[in-house]
Amino acid sequence: MTVRIGVVIFPGSNRDIDAFNGLRVAGAEPVELWHEGDSLDDVAAVLVPGGFAYGDYLRAGVIARFSPVMRSVAAFADDGGLVLGICKGFQVLTESHLLPGALLRNRELRFVSRQIAITPERLDSPFTRAIGERRPLRMPVAHGEGCYFADAAELDRLERDGQVLFRYADGSNPNGSLRDIAGVTNAAGNVAGLMPHPETAVEEVIGSADGLGIIRSFVESAAERATSARPVLVGGR
């Protein structure tokens, strides 16, 4: 049976189509989760995609966190469910306090849209297990508020507990993120977010297939969870 993965759609979402395609390429069945609904439709995992949720009014992700669907996503995550946020989704998850830290305006105060490279810090998480080796992965970024920030004590804790999932590689940090952090997990390891777009790098015909390992990891972990009595969780190192 094909694993069903929910894709949250807010007013202004525009990467949901890419998320649907990436999930299908990785072998999953994507399911639309509209922001006004409070049901997750019995999905095995949830992906929060990119776009301009609620027009990015006030600041990116801050309004989306109050939508009915996000209350359900938070409860799902608290119960051990797998949740992945990409770009806007990462911002929404930090605003919802499902992930540590915050995403600030890019250091140069400009929207950036280009190919970069990220390197996985770990290969044992539900979001990286299918990558295979620790190497730079090429994929695009497209954001204006992607500078990852936390205070020094929090950054040290994230490093110590293995919650830094990806870093910008080869000097390609596009936004000034502290310690080149491109993606993190929560303490339990079942919620993750990253600013680059692996879902638009799943086929060579669109420029790179380096993101497929991330999406496939998520899909395979969700499939295991769907057939198991307990969630697939990977905590610290």
Side-chain angles (χ1 to χ4, degrees):
M1 182 177 66
T2 303
V3 65
R4 301 170 72 251
I5 295 183
V7 178
V8 177
I9 302 176
F10 302 107
S13 294
N14 60 21
R15 295 284 187 159
D16 47 305
I17 296 173
D18 300 296
F20 269 58
N21 179 66
L23 289 170
R24 289 191 180 107
V25 171
E29 176 190 345
V31 177
E32 289 188 15
L33 300 176
W34 185 238
H35 70 115
E36 292 180 323
D38 58 7
S39 171
L40 299 186
D41 199 14
D42 199 30
V43 296
V46 175
L47 191 154
V48 188
F52 295 89
Y54 297 94
D56 279 354
Y57 292 111
L58 301 182
R59 68 176 179 268
V62 70
I63 298 177
R65 66 167 289 199
F66 295 107
S67 63
V69 73
M70 286 309 299
R71 290 195 290 270
S72 299
V73 171
F76 180 75
D78 287 345
D79 194 40
L82 294 177
V83 180
L84 174 62
I86 299 173
C87 195
K88 177 65 64 213
F90 189 11
Q91 295 164 341
V92 172
L93 294 180
T94 58
E95 290 288 349
S96 301
H97 306 297
L98 295 178
L99 286 174
L103 282 310
L104 308 181
R105 289 290 303 276
N106 296 344
R107 185 67 55 84
E108 300 298 325
L109 304 181
R110 295 178 180 176
F111 189 92
V112 294
S113 179
R114 64 172 184 263
Q115 285 277 100
I116 53 86
I118 60 173
T119 302
E121 286 293 292
R122 7 180 343 188
L123 298 173
D124 61 345
S125 81
F127 311 94
T128 57
R129 52 185 271 183
I131 291 175
E133 60 180 320
R134 191 172 181 272
R135 63 180 179 86
L137 306 172
R138 294 183 304 109
M139 62 193 67
V141 292
H143 57 253
E145 297 179 45
C147 177
Y148 187 78
F149 177 86
D151 64 33
E154 177 80 347
L155 290 170
D156 288 344
R157 185 186 66 77
L158 295 177
E159 302 265 16
R160 182 196 69 213
D161 294 344
Q163 289 179 245
V164 176
L165 196 58
F166 298 101
R167 293 187 204 270
Y168 295 106
D170 305 327
S172 66
N173 186 333
N175 49 44
S177 288
L178 298 184
R179 303 192 189 181
D180 292 327
I181 292 174
V184 299
T185 71
N186 65 342
N190 64 303
V191 181
L194 72 163
M195 285 309 296
H197 285 275
E199 82 285 15
T200 57
V202 295
E203 299 171 284
E204 290 293 349
V205 70
I206 55 176
S208 172
D210 284 353
L212 183 56
I214 298 171
I215 303 300
R216 182 172 286 152
S217 296
F218 180 53
V219 168
E220 290 179 357
S221 298
E224 279 192 15
R225 184 183 190 278
T227 57
S228 173
R230 53 198 178 98
V232 177
L233 298 182
V234 179
R237 294 184 190 279

